[in-house]
Amino acid sequence: MSGNPNIDTVRALAEQYSNWGRWGSEDGMGTLNLVKPEHIQQAATLVNSGKSISMALPFDEDGPQTGGLGRFNPIHLMIRDGADAIAGTSIRDFYGGVDKHFRGTDDIIIMPLQSGTQWDALGHVVFGDIIWNGYSADQVSSKGAMKGAITEAKDSMVGRGVLLDLPRAMGVDWLEPGFSIGAAELDRAASFGNVEVGEADFVFVRTGAIARARAQGGWGDYAGGDAPGLGLASTEWVGERDIAAIATDTWGLEVRPNETPDVAQPMHIIFIVHMGLWLGEIFDFEALADDCAEDGTYEFMFVGPPLPFTRAVGSPLNPMAIK
Amino acid sequence: MSGNPNIDTVRALAEQYSNWGRWGSEDGMGTLNLVKPEHIQQAATLVNSGKSISMALPFDEDGPQTGGLGRFNPIHLMIRDGADAIAGTSIRDFYGGVDKHFRGTDDIIIMPLQSGTQWDALGHVVFGDIIWNGYSADQVSSKGAMKGAITEAKDSMVGRGVLLDLPRAMGVDWLEPGFSIGAAELDRAASFGNVEVGEADFVFVRTGAIARARAQGGWGDYAGGDAPGLGLASTEWVGERDIAAIATDTWGLEVRPNETPDVAQPMHIIFIVHMGLWLGEIFDFEALADDCAEDGTYEFMFVGPPLPFTRAVGSPLNPMAIK
Amino acid sequence: MSGNPNIDTVRALAEQYSNWGRWGSEDGMGTLNLVKPEHIQQAATLVNSGKSISMALPFDEDGPQTGGLGRFNPIHLMIRDGADAIAGTSIRDFYGGVDKHFRGTDDIIIMPLQSGTQWDALGHVVFGDIIWNGYSADQVSSKGAMKGAITEAKDSMVGRGVLLDLPRAMGVDWLEPGFSIGAAELDRAASFGNVEVGEADFVFVRTGAIARARAQGGWGDYAGGDAPGLGLASTEWVGERDIAAIATDTWGLEVRPNETPDVAQPMHIIFIVHMGLWLGEIFDFEALADDCAEDGTYEFMFVGPPLPFTRAVGSPLNPMAIK
Amino acid sequence: MSGNPNIDTVRALAEQYSNWGRWGSEDGMGTLNLVKPEHIQQAATLVNSGKSISMALPFDEDGPQTGGLGRFNPIHLMIRDGADAIAGTSIRDFYGGVDKHFRGTDDIIIMPLQSGTQWDALGHVVFGDIIWNGYSADQVSSKGAMKGAITEAKDSMVGRGVLLDLPRAMGVDWLEPGFSIGAAELDRAASFGNVEVGEADFVFVRTGAIARARAQGGWGDYAGGDAPGLGLASTEWVGERDIAAIATDTWGLEVRPNETPDVAQPMHIIFIVHMGLWLGEIFDFEALADDCAEDGTYEFMFVGPPLPFTRAVGSPLNPMAIK
């Protein structure tokens, strides 16, 4: 990668690490094909202390979204509530014939599927006219994804998880916006955590972006602004390891501003469109990172399937680290 | 329980098996308090063959809801799609300055939190004027649940899972609507599966209701109609075992029509309001049940946390059985 | 129109009555261009008895939609309510610092813009690859309509209204599904109402479909099923009169099943795509028709603008007849 | 009103101008009862030049809402679009059996009913435990309004409109935030416009707040912040005239900060809860005001019914001035 990176760099890396056709012409699972029963068996052996730690940010109106790309924070509304029961009206008017004693409460959510802690499905990114595995982009129409849907991961996302805590490895509170993560930083964090990253692993890269937002008392431009993240120099490290998925605590996984002036989101193009790699975003690693720092163990069993929304290109989830 | 059951029966059972105050006056976790590290450690040892099997029904417009209680099937809509990229217009008009190569797709979901595979939070049921642990029902107002919210289970729902396959144990395709499940049937299915159910277990009771809907080619009145389910005669069995949670493949867990003519949903009152027991509904056990029948193993590691929707009284999930 | 009608018939009629280019190459108003100040002045003179009569069906969960084309009935949810005020909780928890005396209530709507009483915008129909005035169909992308949006009618939809009450003119309770309305029936109803239909008029064609649904105690297949409506034989009558808009009390204006086996919705193609004519659907004429029958006056001032939803292809409205 | 105004001032004014019981114990129309056929007849005579001018702000994501009170700007999403037709996919996959030539486009709106140009229904405000006409506030529960619903105005909102252009009358571009409008200012603007305001009139009070937002290039704290508006000193003027409704170009009609330190939104309490007066907010008077300044005529026919959302406490609308 001598010279300034540009779209030709992206095309070259994409071709070099492409997995198109590797799992057949009809594939929609991409790198989740790499997870075999032995990986799940092995992951279960990592459960020692019996702790379960969520990596989900709460889903609510205080989330990081500010409207960019049409994304807003989840809107939660009650359909039926308990205050009605106290007040008495709704019993009389709506549930009168049913019961004087029992009442249920119910609610509704309106949310972009990629507004909080989330998996990107393989149909989430279009490069030119194509998506993962070379499918035409019109497979993702106004009716949803016929190819590359989130439901492909319905029975998956179980395996060995590894936390790469970059700020702790580098002795800082968080990585600054614009910091590009490459192989050197990933190796340093793996070494710090005394783990090796290999086939079918679920890799969690902490940049400290959520810690920073909390320290600063607000999200600011966390969603869509400059951010630390994976850069072009991470491609080989990621591509050669045959990992199952990778997630960060940032809005968009890769470093912003992008390193290629003539094409946006190059890592999404390389990772999703060509590798078929599953990307996670807005994972909250803070509780897990504190725990790993305390017990010195940076590997664990990971269980984090998406919700199977039919024809969707993303999904919120509650990712669980079990130690 | 001599004589015909009524609200006095419900009150007596509720009092007998009440857990109010057991975990303090501020508790919102209820029976999830019972899950200790050793239960999680033990659950991990049940992972042998390295299989992960989802118990989620797909979330889409073909779900079982028909509008009752204000519940409808999930509405999925695209914000940005790939067909636009092919057609060319939206690039020109909306993303013109950004990039000619990269484009993302995005989508949104509108759904009642209890429209598909779901956990009930402890604030989901009101009995008279109260909810779990004796809180006033006005803790669940039009702004959501200040007590009994789904977020209480954010880091939990990991442990030993047990499938009680009643139809297979009883030699039928499915239990008929109106069939009341009591201790005898639960014991019979446990014996059939060669499992004992005990403290902190996650218990999955298959009635075959989803198999029936599929065999009949449509949901019919699955949502809100007559159904097989847990009856008053299951109270002691459930209450004495100190289980962590219980779920069925029906819309509402308990037998319908209810056994008590003067109060609706008595098991919800006993289980949720008084025991603080977490209930799961519309779990799809079909793939798991086939697998258990094949390998003869009806216990497994269970991981199925809700999504932490702030102040919500329920949550969809993708429950995972790992064997 | 000898022989059986087919797509060639549609193409011929579309060409014959095409208004493409009539109002310039950038036009999005179509036949609303025909409404001149004198039409509005004249319309105001029709106000005699001082009555205002709505033609809107209530917007709620009891509407006619059954899910076809992704259309569902409006979902109405409260954000803040008064029962909370009675119960007391939400004041304490959410509005505590604000006020003990004043409280507002608020609500939200989720609805397809064409789920009830509605105008179709000119971008609502695609014929082949084109929309009104010959624009490419990709002007209506996943981000909405750059051409043919409902906002084009923001300041319009005011003029002379004429009710053509076909069932009363024909001595029946309602027209049966499949009944094709042509020039003869329109003339007969105009004659019955003692009105002539001319330039810039807003024409309301009552079939009795809503009366029928009420008489039968339910919507049945009102939305999307067979219906009476305008047929190919109405084209000349409509096209030659240079009317401003036309609306019916049916789901889709034109007769169903369609008269052309090889192309669906031919009247939408002729009227919207080629004439640029504004179509209204699911108008509830029952109260107005009773009033017209009583006072014998079938003309009135009409005011019925859409709500200006940016880039939308339809809009609900409350159309008002003022007599 | 000597001394500093407080809740006792509000209570006294509310009692003095109360209309409770004036139109019966079951009333939900309030001041719309004042509109008689002769008012509508007279209003029609004000149509002279044949112009129709909308007072609606476009409904879209660029609206003034910033999340306060749970209110957000309208979210518009496509269900079916035309780019799919160009790309070809969705035809093949979703509409294949139907037609190769015809395709419809469709869309959906998600919006708080009071997020843009709107009427408040009489159930929108609670004072203590009561709403309009003395109904208990629990008539507005989580299921919507049993009393004071927006549907009460379904056939109404037609009459004489009068624009009171305060900035032009006072020789300023706009009134500053915090400016309290009383009888003196209203009289001055009426005199400036050469109109008298009387029974059953629809009164539109321009403060210039929308002009100010445009001049400043953004909404800023238009929604919920300090604002010019009606103050306590307007009560007598409004109450004695028996007007039908009043609307402003601000977010909340009344002056902010409120004049009463111990109770919020006193004018809402006096006007809505006690007078039963219909209030309109976020009306865009700019085009109308320019037109009135040009032709010197500040009265016109007004037609602006709400959409009849069942049990709703507000509604967006497209209010029309016809001159």
Side-chain angles (χ1 to χ4, degrees):
Chain A
M1 279 191 294
S2 60
N4 292 326
N6 59 28
I7 191 165
D8 294 327
T9 323
V10 175
R11 287 210 166 98
L13 287 168
E15 188 176 350
Q16 188 174 356
Y17 294 99
S18 172
N19 285 320
W20 286 11
R22 180 174 175 185
W23 300 289
S25 64
E26 291 300 311
D27 181 68
M29 288 189 69
T31 51
L32 294 179
N33 284 290
L34 296 163
V35 183
K36 305 296 182 196
E38 56 265 32
H39 298 113
I40 296 176
Q41 292 162 337
Q42 187 185 18
T45 67
L46 301 173
V47 178
N48 289 304
S49 53
K51 288 180 283 197
S52 55
I53 302 172
S54 167
M55 298 182 240
L57 199 68
F59 296 97
D60 59 33
E61 72 274 22
D62 295 325
Q65 302 300 328
T66 53
L69 304 181
R71 294 180 185 169
F72 50 88
N73 291 312
I75 299 167
H76 175 247
L77 296 159
M78 298 302 294
I79 300 176
R80 306 183 292 160
D81 68 39
D84 287 355
I86 299 288
T89 298
S90 66
I91 308 164
R92 185 171 66 243
D93 298 313
F94 292 99
Y95 314 114
V98 178
D99 201 277
K100 274 182 297 201
H101 309 291
F102 168 85
R103 259 165 259 110
T105 65
D106 251 310
D107 41 11
I108 194 180
I109 202 78
I110 306 171
M111 69 183 294
L113 291 169
Q114 305 200 13
S115 56
T117 305
Q118 92 211 230
W119 284 124
D120 290 352
L122 297 187
H124 171 54
V125 174
V126 177
F127 182 49
D129 290 348
I130 50 159
I131 61 170
W132 158 244
N133 219 16
Y135 302 121
S136 166
D138 72 359
Q139 294 286 349
V140 185
S141 73
S142 68
K143 298 295 282 182
M146 302 299 292
K147 295 287 185 185
I150 197 73
T151 44
E152 297 277 358
K154 182 186 170 192
D155 288 281
S156 189
M157 296 290 183
V158 178
R160 178 186 182 234
V162 173
L163 179 69
L164 302 183
D165 189 339
L166 272 69
R168 278 194 176 83
M170 297 165 69
V172 296
D173 285 338
W174 51 72
L175 305 187
E176 292 299 329
F179 185 95
S180 176
I181 300 168
E185 290 80 14
L186 295 169
D187 279 335
R188 182 166 168 183
S191 175
F192 171 83
N194 202 28
V195 289
E196 287 191 27
V197 175
E199 192 188 34
D201 279 352
F202 293 82
V203 182
F204 302 102
V205 179
R206 180 174 179 262
T207 72
I210 288 181
R212 181 174 179 261
R214 287 184 183 138
Q216 300 188 344
W219 289 106
D221 66 350
Y222 173 94
D226 288 353
L230 294 165
L232 290 162
S234 71
T235 308
E236 182 182 348
W237 191 96
V238 170
E240 291 195 341
R241 270 167 180 72
D242 264 352
I243 62 174
I246 190 166
T248 66
D249 52 0
T250 63
W251 179 75
L253 190 107
E254 61 184 290
V255 62
R256 297 292 304 244
N258 295 135
E259 296 164 315
T260 47
D262 53 351
V263 59
Q265 303 294 80
M267 305 315 297
H268 276 70
I269 294 169
I270 296 168
F271 287 162
I272 294 184
V273 179
H274 289 272
M275 278 190 199
L277 178 65
W278 289 72
L279 307 188
E281 291 155 343
I282 318 184
F283 278 51
D284 181 353
F285 300 131
E286 296 312 294
L288 177 62
D290 287 347
D291 187 85
C292 292
E294 193 175 332
D295 70 7
T297 304
Y298 283 83
E299 61 179 355
F300 44 85
M301 185 181 189
F302 170 73
V303 182
L307 272 63
F309 295 110
T310 302
R311 294 196 299 276
V313 293
S315 174
L317 77 152
N318 185 351
M320 197 66 76
I322 310 168
K323 301 182 74 172
Chain B
M1 276 190 294
S2 60
N4 291 325
N6 59 27
I7 191 165
D8 295 327
T9 322
V10 175
R11 289 210 165 97
L13 287 168
E15 188 175 350
Q16 187 174 357
Y17 294 100
S18 171
N19 284 321
W20 286 10
R22 180 175 174 183
W23 300 290
S25 64
E26 291 301 310
D27 180 69
M29 289 189 67
T31 50
L32 294 178
N33 285 289
L34 296 163
V35 184
K36 304 297 181 193
E38 56 265 31
H39 297 114
I40 294 176
Q41 292 162 336
Q42 186 186 19
T45 67
L46 301 174
V47 178
N48 289 305
S49 54
K51 288 180 282 197
S52 56
I53 302 172
S54 167
M55 298 181 238
L57 200 67
F59 296 97
D60 59 34
E61 71 274 23
D62 295 324
Q65 302 299 327
T66 51
L69 305 180
R71 294 179 186 171
F72 50 88
N73 291 311
I75 299 168
H76 175 248
L77 297 159
M78 298 302 294
I79 301 177
R80 304 183 293 160
D81 68 39
D84 287 356
I86 299 288
T89 299
S90 66
I91 308 164
R92 183 171 69 242
D93 297 313
F94 293 98
Y95 314 115
V98 178
D99 201 278
K100 276 183 296 200
H101 309 291
F102 168 84
R103 258 165 259 110
T105 66
D106 250 310
D107 42 10
I108 194 181
I109 202 78
I110 306 170
M111 68 184 293
L113 292 169
Q114 306 200 14
S115 55
T117 306
Q118 91 208 232
W119 284 124
D120 290 353
L122 298 186
H124 171 55
V125 174
V126 177
F127 182 49
D129 290 348
I130 49 158
I131 60 169
W132 157 246
N133 220 16
Y135 301 121
S136 166
D138 72 358
Q139 295 287 349
V140 185
S141 74
S142 69
K143 297 294 282 180
M146 302 300 292
K147 296 286 185 187
I150 198 74
T151 44
E152 297 277 358
K154 182 188 170 191
D155 288 282
S156 189
M157 296 292 184
V158 178
R160 177 187 183 234
V162 173
L163 179 69
L164 302 183
D165 189 339
L166 273 68
R168 278 193 176 84
M170 297 165 68
V172 297
D173 285 337
W174 51 72
L175 305 188
E176 292 299 331
F179 186 95
S180 177
I181 300 167
E185 290 80 15
L186 295 169
D187 280 334
R188 183 166 167 183
S191 175
F192 171 82
N194 202 26
V195 289
E196 288 191 26
V197 175
E199 191 188 35
D201 280 351
F202 293 82
V203 182
F204 303 102
V205 179
R206 179 173 179 262
T207 72
I210 287 181
R212 181 173 179 262
R214 287 185 183 136
Q216 300 188 345
W219 289 105
D221 68 348
Y222 174 93
D226 288 354
L230 294 166
L232 291 162
S234 72
T235 308
E236 182 181 350
W237 191 96
V238 169
E240 292 194 340
R241 270 167 180 71
D242 264 353
I243 61 175
I246 190 165
T248 67
D249 51 1
T250 61
W251 179 75
L253 191 107
E254 61 185 289
V255 62
R256 297 291 306 241
N258 296 135
E259 297 164 316
T260 47
D262 54 350
V263 60
Q265 303 293 81
M267 305 314 298
H268 277 69
I269 295 169
I270 296 168
F271 286 162
I272 294 184
V273 179
H274 289 272
M275 279 190 199
L277 179 64
W278 290 72
L279 307 188
E281 291 155 344
I282 318 184
F283 278 51
D284 181 352
F285 300 131
E286 296 311 294
L288 176 63
D290 287 347
D291 187 86
C292 292
E294 193 175 333
D295 71 6
T297 305
Y298 283 83
E299 60 180 354
F300 44 85
M301 184 180 188
F302 170 73
V303 182
L307 271 63
F309 294 110
T310 303
R311 294 196 299 274
V313 293
S315 174
L317 77 152
N318 185 350
M320 198 65 77
I322 310 167
K323 300 182 74 172
Chain C
M1 279 191 295
S2 60
N4 291 327
N6 59 27
I7 191 165
D8 295 326
T9 322
V10 175
R11 288 209 166 99
L13 288 168
E15 188 176 350
Q16 187 175 357
Y17 294 99
S18 171
N19 284 320
W20 287 11
R22 179 174 176 185
W23 299 291
S25 64
E26 292 300 310
D27 180 68
M29 288 189 67
T31 50
L32 294 178
N33 285 290
L34 296 162
V35 184
K36 306 295 181 194
E38 56 265 32
H39 297 114
I40 296 176
Q41 291 162 338
Q42 188 186 19
T45 67
L46 301 174
V47 178
N48 290 304
S49 53
K51 288 180 281 197
S52 56
I53 302 173
S54 167
M55 299 182 238
L57 200 68
F59 296 98
D60 59 34
E61 70 274 21
D62 294 325
Q65 303 298 328
T66 52
L69 305 180
R71 294 179 185 169
F72 50 88
N73 291 311
I75 299 168
H76 175 247
L77 296 159
M78 299 302 295
I79 300 176
R80 305 183 292 161
D81 68 38
D84 288 356
I86 300 288
T89 298
S90 66
I91 308 163
R92 184 170 68 243
D93 296 312
F94 293 97
Y95 314 114
V98 178
D99 202 279
K100 276 182 297 200
H101 308 292
F102 168 84
R103 257 165 260 110
T105 65
D106 251 309
D107 41 11
I108 194 181
I109 202 78
I110 306 170
M111 69 183 293
L113 291 169
Q114 305 200 15
S115 55
T117 306
Q118 92 210 230
W119 285 124
D120 291 352
L122 297 187
H124 171 56
V125 174
V126 177
F127 181 49
D129 290 349
I130 49 159
I131 61 170
W132 158 245
N133 220 16
Y135 302 122
S136 166
D138 72 358
Q139 294 286 350
V140 186
S141 73
S142 69
K143 297 295 282 181
M146 301 300 291
K147 295 287 184 186
I150 197 73
T151 44
E152 297 277 358
K154 182 188 171 192
D155 288 281
S156 189
M157 297 290 184
V158 178
R160 178 186 182 234
V162 173
L163 178 69
L164 301 183
D165 189 338
L166 273 67
R168 277 194 176 83
M170 297 165 69
V172 297
D173 286 337
W174 50 73
L175 306 187
E176 292 299 329
F179 185 95
S180 176
I181 300 167
E185 289 80 15
L186 296 169
D187 279 335
R188 182 166 168 183
S191 176
F192 171 83
N194 202 26
V195 289
E196 288 191 26
V197 175
E199 193 188 33
D201 279 352
F202 292 83
V203 182
F204 303 102
V205 179
R206 180 174 179 262
T207 72
I210 288 182
R212 181 174 179 261
R214 287 185 183 135
Q216 300 188 345
W219 289 106
D221 67 350
Y222 174 93
D226 289 353
L230 294 165
L232 291 162
S234 71
T235 308
E236 182 182 348
W237 191 98
V238 169
E240 292 193 342
R241 270 167 179 70
D242 264 353
I243 61 174
I246 190 165
T248 66
D249 52 0
T250 61
W251 180 74
L253 190 107
E254 61 184 289
V255 62
R256 296 292 304 240
N258 295 135
E259 297 165 314
T260 47
D262 54 350
V263 60
Q265 302 293 80
M267 304 316 297
H268 277 69
I269 294 169
I270 296 168
F271 286 162
I272 295 184
V273 178
H274 289 272
M275 278 191 199
L277 179 64
W278 289 72
L279 307 188
E281 291 156 343
I282 318 184
F283 278 52
D284 181 353
F285 300 131
E286 296 312 295
L288 176 63
D290 286 348
D291 187 86
C292 292
E294 193 175 332
D295 70 8
T297 304
Y298 284 83
E299 61 180 354
F300 43 85
M301 185 181 190
F302 170 72
V303 183
L307 272 63
F309 295 111
T310 302
R311 294 196 299 276
V313 293
S315 173
L317 77 152
N318 185 350
M320 197 66 77
I322 310 168
K323 301 181 74 172
Chain D
M1 279 190 293
S2 60
N4 292 326
N6 58 27
I7 191 165
D8 294 327
T9 322
V10 176
R11 288 209 166 97
L13 288 168
E15 188 177 351
Q16 187 174 356
Y17 294 99
S18 171
N19 285 320
W20 286 10
R22 180 173 175 185
W23 300 289
S25 64
E26 291 301 310
D27 180 68
M29 289 189 68
T31 51
L32 293 179
N33 285 290
L34 296 162
V35 184
K36 304 296 181 195
E38 56 267 30
H39 298 113
I40 295 177
Q41 292 162 336
Q42 186 185 19
T45 67
L46 300 174
V47 178
N48 290 303
S49 53
K51 288 180 284 196
S52 57
I53 302 173
S54 167
M55 299 182 238
L57 200 67
F59 296 98
D60 58 34
E61 71 273 23
D62 295 325
Q65 302 299 329
T66 52
L69 304 181
R71 294 180 186 170
F72 49 88
N73 291 312
I75 299 167
H76 175 247
L77 296 159
M78 298 302 294
I79 300 176
R80 304 183 293 161
D81 67 40
D84 287 356
I86 299 289
T89 298
S90 66
I91 308 164
R92 186 171 64 243
D93 297 312
F94 291 98
Y95 313 114
V98 178
D99 200 278
K100 275 182 298 201
H101 309 291
F102 168 85
R103 258 164 259 109
T105 65
D106 250 310
D107 41 11
I108 194 180
I109 203 77
I110 306 171
M111 68 183 294
L113 291 169
Q114 306 199 13
S115 55
T117 305
Q118 92 209 229
W119 284 125
D120 291 352
L122 298 186
H124 171 56
V125 174
V126 177
F127 182 49
D129 290 347
I130 50 159
I131 61 169
W132 157 246
N133 221 15
Y135 302 121
S136 167
D138 71 359
Q139 295 286 349
V140 185
S141 74
S142 68
K143 299 295 282 181
M146 302 300 291
K147 295 287 184 186
I150 196 74
T151 44
E152 296 277 358
K154 181 186 171 192
D155 288 281
S156 189
M157 296 290 184
V158 178
R160 177 185 182 235
V162 173
L163 179 69
L164 301 183
D165 189 339
L166 273 68
R168 278 193 176 84
M170 297 164 70
V172 297
D173 286 336
W174 51 72
L175 305 187
E176 293 298 330
F179 186 96
S180 177
I181 300 167
E185 289 79 15
L186 295 169
D187 279 334
R188 182 165 169 184
S191 175
F192 171 83
N194 202 27
V195 289
E196 286 191 28
V197 175
E199 192 187 32
D201 280 351
F202 292 82
V203 182
F204 302 102
V205 179
R206 180 174 179 262
T207 71
I210 287 181
R212 181 174 180 261
R214 287 183 183 138
Q216 299 188 345
W219 289 106
D221 67 348
Y222 175 93
D226 289 353
L230 294 166
L232 290 163
S234 71
T235 307
E236 183 182 348
W237 191 97
V238 169
E240 291 195 341
R241 270 167 181 70
D242 264 352
I243 61 175
I246 191 165
T248 66
D249 52 0
T250 62
W251 180 75
L253 190 107
E254 61 183 290
V255 62
R256 297 291 305 241
N258 295 135
E259 296 165 315
T260 47
D262 54 351
V263 59
Q265 302 294 79
M267 305 315 297
H268 276 69
I269 294 168
I270 295 168
F271 286 162
I272 295 184
V273 178
H274 290 272
M275 278 190 199
L277 178 64
W278 290 72
L279 308 187
E281 291 155 342
I282 319 185
F283 278 51
D284 181 353
F285 299 130
E286 296 311 295
L288 176 63
D290 287 347
D291 187 85
C292 292
E294 194 175 332
D295 70 7
T297 304
Y298 284 83
E299 61 180 354
F300 43 85
M301 184 181 190
F302 171 72
V303 182
L307 273 63
F309 295 109
T310 303
R311 293 196 301 275
V313 292
S315 174
L317 77 152
N318 185 352
M320 198 64 78
I322 310 168
K323 299 181 75 170

